[in-house]
Amino acid sequence: MKIGLFPKTIQFKAWLFVIIFSGASGVAYASDLISHEKAGEQIMLIIASLEPNLPQKVDSMTTLIAVESFGVRGIEYKYVLGTTKDKILNSSGLSLSALTATVRVGTVKQYCEQELMYWFRDNFVEGKWSYVDVNNQELFVLRVNPNDC
């Protein structure tokens, strides 16, 4: 015995409504995105507005040192941490991959949930966060785009 909430004809109509409604709602499609050229112009404006304030201390350990465009629709934030890679790993008790995964969770959450990041999500602009230690040794690079949300 098959149990269903609605007869098959109503189920079909409900699915059809969902398909039509999702097309008419605020779902973003590639045709809705601004052009690569416009996205690049906006990214350059964002960079120009941030550059006069660089380097900028984010917290006691982290300094934003540069903001650059990358790829077709990307913006990269470059950070330096005020200690060595070894000290960071020893004090955290984590491997580099575990530390990267932990930071990635927070980065994805910020990209996906912060209201200030809506333009990036709506226009499929990828964010890239690069971290080096005080000796300019790369720690990790994180990349996030709307598919991660």
Side-chain angles (χ1 to χ4, degrees), residues 12 16 21 29 32 35-36 43-44 47 49 52 57 60-61 94 96 102-103 111 116 119 121 131 135 142 147:
F12 174 74
L16 186 60
F21 180 74
Y29 297 97
D32 295 334
S35 68
H36 293 324
I43 290 167
M44 294 311 293
I47 292 169
S49 72
K57 201 92 161 130
S60 63
M61 286 287 295
L94 298 172
L96 184 57
T102 300
V103 175
Y111 180 92
L116 291 174
W119 182 85
R121 294 185 304 268
Y131 294 84
N135 297 323
L142 305 170
N147 288 332

Side-chain angles (χ1 to χ4, degrees), residues 62-83:
T62 313
T63 303
L64 177 64
I65 57 170
V67 181
E68 301 173 353
S69 66
F70 81 95
V72 177
R73 298 175 86 92
I75 187 165
E76 179 176 10
Y77 302 92
K78 295 184 176 188
Y79 296 92
V80 64
L81 300 179
T83 189

Side-chain angles (χ1 to χ4, degrees), residues 126-137:
E126 184 173 14
K128 183 176 177 181
W129 291 264
S130 301
Y131 294 84
V132 297
D133 73 1
V134 72
N135 297 323
N136 205 32
Q137 185 178 8

Side-chain angles (χ1 to χ4, degrees), residues 36-111:
H36 293 324
E37 182 181 338
K38 287 285 185 196
E41 289 171 5
Q42 292 300 311
I43 290 167
M44 294 311 293
L45 288 172
I46 293 167
I47 292 169
S49 72
L50 294 172
E51 281 182 333
N53 301 314
L54 298 178
Q56 183 177 28
K57 201 92 161 130
V58 176
D59 58 38
S60 63
M61 286 287 295
T62 313
T63 303
L64 177 64
I65 57 170
V67 181
E68 301 173 353
S69 66
F70 81 95
V72 177
R73 298 175 86 92
I75 187 165
E76 179 176 10
Y77 302 92
K78 295 184 176 188
Y79 296 92
V80 64
L81 300 179
T83 189
T84 65
K85 181 178 184 177
D86 291 336
K87 286 183 181 177
I88 292 167
L89 295 176
N90 289 337
S91 68
S92 70
L94 298 172
S95 67
L96 184 57
S97 61
L99 180 63
T100 303
T102 300
V103 175
R104 179 172 171 69
V105 168
T107 304
V108 169
K109 183 174 175 62
Q110 288 180 346
Y111 180 92

